[in-house]
Structures are given as C-alpha cells and as structure tokens.
C-alpha cells in the first residue's frame, strides 16, 4: 500500500478523495454514517511503518470527516508497533483509544463481530477473494 517514492500528500489526497466520492454518492443525506478502517501493517516494525503518513491521514480525515470513525483495526502489528502504541496511546483520550484495536493474524475472526463476512477479504476472515 505504501510506496516509498510517494508523498504523504498523495496518499492523503487519494484516500480523502475516495471517502468524499463515497460520501457524495452512497451516503443518505441527514443520516450519520460511520467508517471502519482496516490498516494491514504487514508485520512492519515501528521503523518500517509509515507513521507520518498514517498520522497525517488520521488528522486529515478527522478534520474533513469529523465523528466518522467508528473503529480503526490495525492488522498484523509487529511487537515493536504494539509497544510503541502503548506509549502513544497514553496521551490520547479514552474515546479515541477505544476506537483503535490491534488484531494479529490468528484473531481475524474478531473482525466479523463488526463487519459482515461478505464485505471482508478471505485473508481477513471474510468470503471475498
């Protein structure tokens, strides 16, 4: 997903543009729609993980789509990423911390508590290839 030659701005523009397109064409006016994000880290360590890209993306989507994040699942996190998150989460409020969950490869079935199997790829415990 992340290409070393691309900039944070490009990723942010692409994702925000995609979310805005879905918002304009799929959402029902006057209704509250919340999003569930899946971020597959590919077991990258904290030094290999594009922290700045993810932080900028979260900041940008928070500003452009307030109150839209239902849950952020971080999939396949490395031990170093989980340990670093333990430190970073201490400065976040409880409401934000409750929205972020780390799931290892042997726990993908937990995603189905919030996401229908027909909306998930098989590698995440769903029915889609």
């Amino acid at each position: 997903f992340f290409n070393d030659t691309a900039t944070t701005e490009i990723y942010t523009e692409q994702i925000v543009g995609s979310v805005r397109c879905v918002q304009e064409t799929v959402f029902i006016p006057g209704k509250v729609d919340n999003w569930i994000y899946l971020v597959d880290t590919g077991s990258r360590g904290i030094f290999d993980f594009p922290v700045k890209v993810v932080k900028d993306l979260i900041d940008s989507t928070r500003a452009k789509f307030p109150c839209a994040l239902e849950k952020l699942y971080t999939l396949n996190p490395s031990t170093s990423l989980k340990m670093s998150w333990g430190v970073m989460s201490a400065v976040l409020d409880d409401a934000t911390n409750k929205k972020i969950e780390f799931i290892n490869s042997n726990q993908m079935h937990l995603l189905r508590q919030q996401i229908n199997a027909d909306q998930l790829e098989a590698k995440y415990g769903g029915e889609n290839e």
Side-chain angles (χ1 to χ4, degrees):
F1 176 76
F2 293 105
N3 179 337
D4 293 336
T5 61
T7 64
T8 300
E9 293 82 22
I10 291 171
Y11 289 123
T12 302
E13 287 174 20
Q14 289 175 344
I15 293 173
V16 168
S18 297
V19 172
R20 182 160 284 126
C21 179
V22 170
Q23 183 182 41
E24 291 171 357
T25 59
V26 178
F27 286 8
I28 300 170
K31 301 289 183 183
V32 176
D33 287 290
N34 292 325
W35 290 74
I36 297 172
Y37 289 89
L38 303 179
V39 177
D40 191 341
T41 66
S43 300
R44 287 184 179 99
I46 189 66
F47 297 110
D48 298 326
F49 191 73
V51 175
K52 180 173 176 16
V53 173
V54 173
K55 181 192 176 307
D56 289 350
L57 178 61
I58 289 171
D59 290 345
S60 180
T61 55
R62 181 185 294 169
K64 293 176 180 6
F65 309 103
C67 303
L69 177 65
E70 173 75 20
K71 195 80 166 172
L72 176 102
Y73 289 104
T74 305
L75 310 176
N76 302 309
S78 67
T79 302
S80 64
L81 187 59
K82 287 192 282 189
M83 289 174 59
S84 298
W85 176 251
V87 173
M88 292 184 285
S89 66
V91 299
L92 297 175
D93 59 89
D94 286 340
T96 300
N97 275 322
K98 288 178 183 174
K99 292 181 179 187
I100 300 170
E101 189 170 334
F102 289 82
I103 295 183
N104 294 318
S105 59
N106 63 347
Q107 299 173 306
M108 294 298 172
H109 64 277
L110 297 174
L111 293 173
R112 292 188 53 188
Q113 293 174 356
Q114 269 197 295
I115 304 170
N116 293 333
D118 64 346
Q119 297 175 335
L120 278 172
E121 291 181 47
K123 66 181 179 181
Y124 301 130
E127 299 171 352
N128 290 314
E129 293 303 317

